[in-house]
Amino acid sequence: MNFKILGIEHVAIAVDDMKKPANVFGKLLGIENTSTEEIADQKVITDIFDTGAGKIELLEATSDDSPISKFLEKRGQGVHHVAFLVDNLKLALSELSDAGIELIDKTPRVGAEGMMIAFLHPSSTSGVLVELCQKP
């Protein structure tokens, strides 16, 4: 492969309500909250805590038809996906597709913190939803 994984960007956790987990990650564990934003097209609010070696991203649905609402109905609160930072997202998607990995996103889109993102289908990644991210 000609693209590089630069590290774990974040672990995302789907929650019913951010208040309690935000208190745990922020106040009790002392991890800095670096941003909270609504991603309208994904129908989600993100609350991001930066450990310095990777982030925790809390995901709360803003609509009953949000992918996060559907996830919570099926599985309850918990880890939603793992995100890896890559040096070239378009190249990564092309090479992974050519290698037989099923893509949810065939082209990058804008996610939280202005990152370009794309998801790999869990059927190709041992049941784990994987997000690839590239800094803007």
Side-chain angles (χ1 to χ4, degrees):
M1 297 288 165
N2 294 307
F3 70 94
K4 291 183 181 163
I5 298 285
L6 304 175
I8 294 176
E9 209 295 315
H10 65 267
V11 173
I13 302 169
V15 298
D16 292 323
D17 181 346
M18 278 193 219
K19 290 180 185 102
K20 185 175 180 180
N23 184 50
V24 171
F25 289 107
K27 291 180 183 172
L28 298 177
L29 295 178
I31 303 170
E32 181 183 0
N33 178 299
T34 56
S35 72
T36 300
E37 67 181 288
E38 182 174 352
I39 312 297
D41 69 325
Q42 296 174 36
K43 301 176 184 175
V44 67
I45 294 174
T46 66
D47 207 359
I48 298 175
F49 295 83
D50 193 344
T51 71
K55 299 173 190 164
I56 300 294
E57 179 182 69
L58 303 179
L59 302 171
E60 182 180 322
T62 59
S63 170
D64 289 341
D65 65 343
S66 163
I68 297 304
S69 290
K70 293 173 186 173
F71 178 90
L72 291 167
E73 285 175 20
K74 285 183 179 178
R75 300 191 180 142
Q77 297 186 102
V79 174
H80 181 263
H81 67 268
V82 176
F84 296 96
L85 189 62
V86 297
D87 65 341
N88 186 326
L89 183 54
K90 286 182 182 178
L91 180 61
L93 293 174
S94 175
E95 290 185 356
L96 290 169
S97 179
D98 289 349
I101 300 295
E102 186 177 347
L103 307 177
I104 292 174
D105 298 301
K106 295 184 184 357
T107 58
R109 56 190 166 113
V110 178
E113 300 180 304
M115 294 252 193
M116 295 307 297
I117 65 165
F119 285 90
L120 308 181
H121 198 281
S123 65
S124 293
T125 55
S126 301
V128 176
L129 181 60
V130 172
E131 178 182 18
L132 300 179
C133 306
Q134 182 179 338
K135 291 183 180 179

